[in-house]
Amino acid sequence: MNIILIIMILTLLIPIYTAWSNENIWQKMLSLASISSKSAILILFVSVLRDDWMIGIVGIIILAVGNAGLMLLAQLLKRN
């Protein structure tokens, strides 16, 4: 199971590098949305491994609300 966690963390580094290196605002926002989704799935995976559903609820909230806030920010930037 540890190898799966290591692979998930390594895949989390790809959008972090993309957000850091790219100057286009839309590419940065897409990368940040990808980071949010990947980290929420990572939290859900850890909660299943630990059999702790309080951590899983945090992952579900990040999936449900985290991307909604980013989409609101995208709409605000789109108007300008």
Side-chain angles (χ1 to χ4, degrees), residues 14-57:
I14 296 169
I16 291 173
Y17 176 73
T18 304
W20 178 46
S21 66
N22 205 336
E23 293 295 325
N24 188 357
I25 188 70
W26 292 106
Q27 291 291 329
K28 281 189 177 187
M29 292 185 73
L30 287 173
S31 299
L32 292 175
S34 177
I35 291 168
S36 171
S37 299
K38 284 182 176 65
S39 61
I41 291 172
L42 183 65
I43 289 170
L44 286 174
F45 184 73
V46 169
S47 73
V48 169
L49 286 180
R50 293 182 54 156
D51 197 23
D52 187 5
W53 289 105
M54 294 301 287
I55 298 173
I57 289 173

